Amino acid sequence: MITDSPTGTRFNQAHDEPGPGAPHPLSGSDQQLLTLRFVQGLRPAEIAQALGMSQARVAQRLAALTDRAQTGTGSSDASHSA
């Protein structure tokens, strides 16, 4: 535990769970999806082909991740395996 902040607030370390209100870390598949879309610049159809899933599923997951980022919700879409 690290408490070097002026308020004595505990900073989470890598093995700690996120605190209340903190977003959950992205799963590996979410990271891969976002990397292909926004770092590599692939279109959803190209991502779908690369990952072996439907274009509709790619679009659905991207929309959910975008919504999650905009609303700051910590919940993760547990249905990644479609």
Side-chain angles (χ1 to χ4, degrees):
M1 171 171 40
I2 302 171
T3 57
D4 291 340
S5 76
T7 61
T9 302
R10 180 179 158 206
F11 293 104
N12 290 329
Q13 294 176 338
H15 62 277
D16 290 342
E17 291 294 316
H24 290 264
L26 293 174
S27 70
S29 62
D30 286 345
Q31 291 176 14
Q32 181 182 31
L33 187 68
L34 291 172
T35 298
L36 290 171
R37 179 67 182 110
F38 297 109
V39 176
Q40 299 295 321
L42 298 182
R43 296 183 314 256
E46 295 168 316
I47 296 168
Q49 184 176 10
L51 299 180
M53 62 176 61
S54 72
Q55 184 176 348
R57 182 65 179 139
V58 169
Q60 179 185 41
R61 286 187 54 202
L62 286 170
L65 288 166
T66 301
D67 182 58
R68 191 173 140 196
Q70 289 175 345
T71 62
T73 61
S75 61
S76 178
D77 178 10
S79 60
H80 293 318
S81 59

